[in-house]
Amino acid sequence: MVAKDHNAILLHAIDEAAVRAGLSIGLPLANARAICPELTVYDADPAADLKTLNDIADWCDRFTPLVALDPPYGLFLDITGCAHLFGGERALLQIVINALSRRGFAVSAAIAGTSIAARTLTRYASGQVIADGAEAEAVGPLPVSALGADPAVTTGLRRAGLKTIGDVASRAPHEISARFGADFTTLLGHALGRGDAPISPRKPLPDYIVEKRFPEPIATDTVIALTLSSLAKTLVAAMEKQGKGARQLEASFFRTDGAVRAIMVETGRPVTRPEMIDRLFRERLDALNDPLDPGFGFDLIRLAAGRTQIVVQQQRDLDTTVHDNDEISAMIDRIAARIGGKRVVVHLPLESHIPERAALALPAQHHLAAASAAAWPERVAGEPPLRPLRLFERPEPIKVPFASVPDGPPHQFTWRRALHAVVRVEGPERIAMEWWKQDGAALTRDYFRVEDAEGQRFWIFRDGLYENELRDEEGKPVPANWYVHGLFA
Amino acid sequence: MNGARTGTLASLRGSIARIEAPSEAAMPNRIALGHTSADAILRGGLAPAALHEVFAAGHQGGAATGFIAGLAGRVSARKPLVWVRQDFSDRENGALSMRGLAELGLDPRLLVTVRAADVDSGLRTAADALACDALGAVVLEIWGDARQLDLVASRKLTLAAQASGVTALLLRIAATPIPSTAETRWIVRAAHSPPGNAASAWGAPRFEAELVRNRHGPVGRWIMEWKCDECQFSEPSAYPQPVAAAPAHRPHQAQARAGHRLAS
C-alpha cells in the first residue's frame, strides 16, 4: 500500500513478505522498488480503512455497548461487567481474536486495567490478560515505541538511551516531563496503570438493553418478528420496574458474517406497551427502502431503549382528552415510524412580521404539546382574510407591463404563462425587511391583494420602493420586480 | 286478512312512506354547511364518517384549498385535523399558510401536516390517520391524475372513515374525476367578489361550488361564501342567486346553437 505525503509516495502499509524483504513503513516507493523490484503496489484508501474499522466496531457491539474507535487501526472495548457473559476475560479475548482472524484480519488484542496499558500491550504482546495492578511489570519490558507517542518523542527517548518503557519509568517523572512534555508523562502514567484516560464510546450508552442470542442463526421473518415481540416484553418489564417508558428504541440485527443493521424508531410519548413497540417496528421494517437482509442469518438481536422518560400515570377512563391525546400521538408515531419523523409536522408561530418566517414547522413527535398551546395572532373580526391561505416558499416572479402610478398596483400581470387582468385591488401593505438582522440587501415590499377577472385572488408584491430603493448608482429609477407570494381562498 | 298479512302491509307502507318522505327532511347527525339550499339538497349537510371529494382545475388551487379547508372546519370543529399532501404540491400551489388558515377561522393549533413522498405513501398515511378516532377530519391532497387512486383505494378510505367516524376529504387539483365511492363530489372554482367599487370590494372568500355527485340525493350548483368569523358557509350577501343557476334549467344547448347558425 502506498500513500502520497507531501509530494512523495511513501509506503503506507506492508505485508509480512515485504518485511522479510527488508522494507519498512514510511520508505519512499522508489527506494522500496530498488530493494525489491517485484513489489506489488496498491493505493491506500484511508476512508475505506475507517469504514472497515467502523464495521468491526459495529460487530464488537455484541460484546459491550461501550466501543470506542482508536484510529487508524485500533478499537477500545470497555468490558467492565461484560466478560462473565462470555466465560471470562480470557475466553472473551479468544473469541474476539478467533472471530476476527477467521475473517482475514491480523488481530492483536489484550486486556488490561487501563485502556492505554491494553493498547501498549497489543503492539508487542498480543493475547495477554493483565490483572489490575500488574500493568507496570507487564509493559515494563516493551520498547518505548509501543506507547504510541509522537514519533519525535520516541526517537528522543531512544537517543537518550531509554529503550524500554521500564527504563523510562525508572527515571523521575519531572525529568521526563521537562524533556518530553507533560502529555507524555500522562500517557506513560496511564500505560503503567496509574490513572486512566476515559474512552469516548461511539454511541451513548442506552438506558436499557435486552438481547437474544441464537446458537443457530435465524433468518425467517416470523422468527425475527417473534423475537422482537418477546424482547419488547422483556424490555417493557424492565422499564416498568422503574416507572419509565421509551422515547427512542433501537433494534440491532447482528448477522453471522459480521454485518450489523441497526433500526431506530422514535416516539412522541414514552412507550409502555410491548404491542406498541412491536407495531412501530413492524411499520418501520415494512417501509425500509432496503429491506432487512438476513444473509446467512442473524445470531444476535438486540433491543435497546436509547432514551427513556418517567411515565406519569394519568386517569384514563374518565378524562377523554387524555385518551384522545394518547391516540393522536400514537397515530403520529406510527406514521413517523414509516415515513420519517421530519415529514409529520406541527406548526408554531414565530415572532416575525416577514410572511415566510411567521411560522415554524417542527416534528410533531416532539412538539405536539407545544403546538397545541401555541398562541397565534388573533384574526380581526369582520375583516376578510388578510393573509393568503397558500404561501409560496419562494415568491414566484410575475411579469407586469406597467403600473399607472409608480407606487400603484398593476393592471394586469402574467403568472405561469397566463395573463391575469386585475379587477380589484386592496393595498398596498408595506412590509419592511428585518434590516437589523441582515446586511440591508433585502428591499421593502409593497403587498397588494388583487382579484383577477375570474375571481381568483392573489397576494402580489413589488420588491423595492421607487423613491429610494429602486435606483441605480446614478440615481436613475430602475424597473421593479414583481412577485406573486400567495393565493387567497 | 290475517295478522301476518296486516303486519307485512304495515311494514311495506312504512317503507313506502320512508321513500316518499320529502327530501328536505334532515338526516340525523349531518353537519350543516350553513348554505341553506345546499344543506337542503344534502339533507341537512355533509355526512360525517364518509369520503368527500373536491376537484379543481390546476390554476384554482387557492379556491379549492379554501373550500376544502371550509369543509374541514365544519366537520372537525375543535378536533384535530390531519392534512396529508405530496412533496411537490408545495411548489405547485404553495405551502399551507398557518396565518391564512387562522384568517379563515380555523385553528392552526389543531393541525398536523404530513408530507408524503408519493401517492402510495400519501394514501397509506391517510388510511392510517383515518383509523384514529380522536381526529375530526383527514384531508388528503393529491395533485394531478393518480393511477393509484382507483376504486379500490377510495373504497379503502371510505371503509376506514366509516370504521372510525372520521371524515375523509380528498382534494384533487388538476385531476379528472374517475369513479369512486365518495359520498359527495364537488367541483370548485373561485367566484367574483360582489360588484362594487373596484378599490374597496374585497369581501369574504367566495366559491362557485358545483355538486356533481351526491349518493343520496340530487345535485346542484351554488355560489358559496365563507364566513370567516362564524366559520361556516353562507349564501352570497349581495349577489342574486340566478347567476349560478343549475345547468339543467338552461335552454337546450342544441337549440341555442341552431339559432346561432341561423343568425350567422
Side-chain angles (χ1 to χ4, degrees), chain A residues 327-328 338 343 345 347 371 374 376 379 382 384 388-392 416 424-426 451 453-457, chain B residues 59 65 80 87 91-95 97-98 100 103 109 113-115 124 128 141 192-193 199 201 203 228-229:
Chain A
E327 289 275 306
I328 288 165
R338 204 174 55 246
R343 288 180 167 277
V345 294
H347 306 267
W376 288 87
R379 71 169 252 102
L389 183 57
R390 305 206 72 138
L391 199 67
F392 291 107
R416 290 186 178 171
R424 271 161 236 279
V425 184
E426 276 272 310
E451 184 177 313
E454 282 187 62
Q456 294 181 64
R457 296 167 172 198
Chain B
H59 61 281
T65 312
D87 270 343
R91 240 166 300 144
E92 281 296 338
N93 282 312
S97 154
M98 293 307 119
E103 293 280 358
R109 288 176 293 188
T113 326
V114 182
R115 268 190 308 113
R124 179 102 199 257
D128 254 14
E141 178 182 335
H192 302 275
S193 290
C228 303
D229 294 324

Side-chain angles (χ1 to χ4, degrees), chain A residues 348-353 357-360 376:
Chain A
L348 287 175
L350 269 189
E351 291 282 335
S352 172
H353 64 278
R357 292 195 207 127
L360 190 66
W376 288 87

Side-chain angles (χ1 to χ4, degrees), chain A residues 178-423:
Chain A
R179 172 73 179 76
F180 299 104
D183 287 351
F184 178 73
T185 323
T186 320
L187 181 72
L188 184 67
H190 292 166
L192 296 170
R194 295 197 290 265
D196 195 6
I199 64 169
S200 44
R202 298 184 309 147
K203 300 172 193 162
L205 191 61
D207 293 355
Y208 296 88
I209 298 180
V210 289
E211 60 186 30
K212 189 157 178 61
R213 280 162 203 280
F214 304 95
E216 277 297 311
I218 58 155
T220 55
D221 289 347
T222 342
V223 184
I224 293 172
L226 278 175
T227 312
L228 269 182
S229 29
S230 81
L231 285 176
K233 278 193 197 106
T234 328
L235 183 72
V236 166
M239 290 192 301
E240 212 164 45
K241 279 186 200 144
Q242 282 150 2
K244 293 198 174 171
R247 290 288 308 273
Q248 186 199 63
L249 290 154
E250 190 180 55
S252 316
F253 301 88
F254 292 75
R255 236 160 66 171
T256 40
D257 61 358
V260 180
R261 182 78 186 267
I263 284 161
M264 198 193 296
V265 290
E266 281 191 288
T267 62
R269 284 182 176 228
V271 180
T272 49
R273 297 208 319 268
E275 313 87 69
M276 189 93 150
I277 297 180
D278 220 24
R279 172 134 195 215
L280 286 175
F281 274 108
R282 216 163 46 229
E283 296 275 3
R284 187 85 187 77
L285 290 173
D286 280 350
L288 285 180
N289 285 333
D290 43 341
L292 209 58
D293 173 18
F296 294 109
F298 300 114
D299 59 355
L300 167 63
I301 294 180
R302 169 184 292 169
L303 186 63
R307 228 175 37 240
T308 54
Q309 198 180 331
I310 291 179
V311 182
V312 184
Q313 294 293 344
Q314 278 164 315
Q315 178 111 22
R316 272 155 201 286
D317 298 328
L318 297 175
D319 190 350
T320 52
T321 56
V322 172
H323 170 78
D324 281 3
N325 285 344
D326 277 357
E327 289 275 306
I328 288 165
S329 54
M331 183 261 310
I332 290 171
D333 285 343
R334 275 202 303 278
I335 295 175
R338 204 174 55 246
I339 67 173
K342 283 188 190 145
R343 288 180 167 277
V344 188
V345 294
V346 287
H347 306 267
L348 287 175
L350 269 189
E351 291 282 335
S352 172
H353 64 278
I354 311 278
E356 56 264 45
R357 292 195 207 127
L360 190 66
L362 290 169
Q365 283 183 307
H366 307 298
H367 298 94
L368 192 63
S372 54
W376 288 87
E378 287 284 314
R379 71 169 252 102
V380 186
E383 281 282 314
L386 301 175
R387 287 284 180 270
L389 183 57
R390 305 206 72 138
L391 199 67
F392 291 107
E393 204 174 321
R394 202 167 296 160
E396 301 201 347
I398 50 175
K399 260 190 262 165
V400 172
F402 63 91
S404 55
V405 277
D407 272 344
H411 291 302
Q412 56 181 36
F413 61 92
T414 313
W415 176 56
R416 290 186 178 171
R417 298 198 300 280
L419 186 71
H420 299 271
V422 174
V423 178

Side-chain angles (χ1 to χ4, degrees), chain A residues 29-49:
Chain A
L29 178 61
N31 299 11
R33 283 221 197 275
I35 298 170
C36 176
E38 59 272 19
L39 192 65
T40 322
V41 179
Y42 302 95
D43 281 335
D45 185 352
D49 284 351

Side-chain angles (χ1 to χ4, degrees), chain B residues 33 36 48 72 91 102 107 116 205 220 241:
Chain B
L33 296 179
T36 322
R91 240 166 300 144
D107 191 349
Q241 191 66 15

Side-chain angles (χ1 to χ4, degrees), chain B residues 187-247:
Chain B
I187 295 180
V188 175
R189 40 186 292 125
H192 302 275
S193 290
N197 182 7
S200 67
W202 252 71
R206 280 166 173 257
F207 312 101
E208 190 182 327
E210 188 180 353
L211 181 63
V212 291
R213 178 195 159 92
N214 180 5
R215 275 172 84 84
H216 298 107
V219 294
R221 181 172 176 171
W222 307 276
I223 296 278
M224 290 174 136
E225 192 169 291
W226 176 254
K227 294 276 181 215
C228 303
D229 294 324
E230 292 98 51
C231 194
Q232 64 171 28
F233 291 98
S234 75
E235 256 103 20
S237 40
Y239 243 25
Q241 191 66 15
V243 169

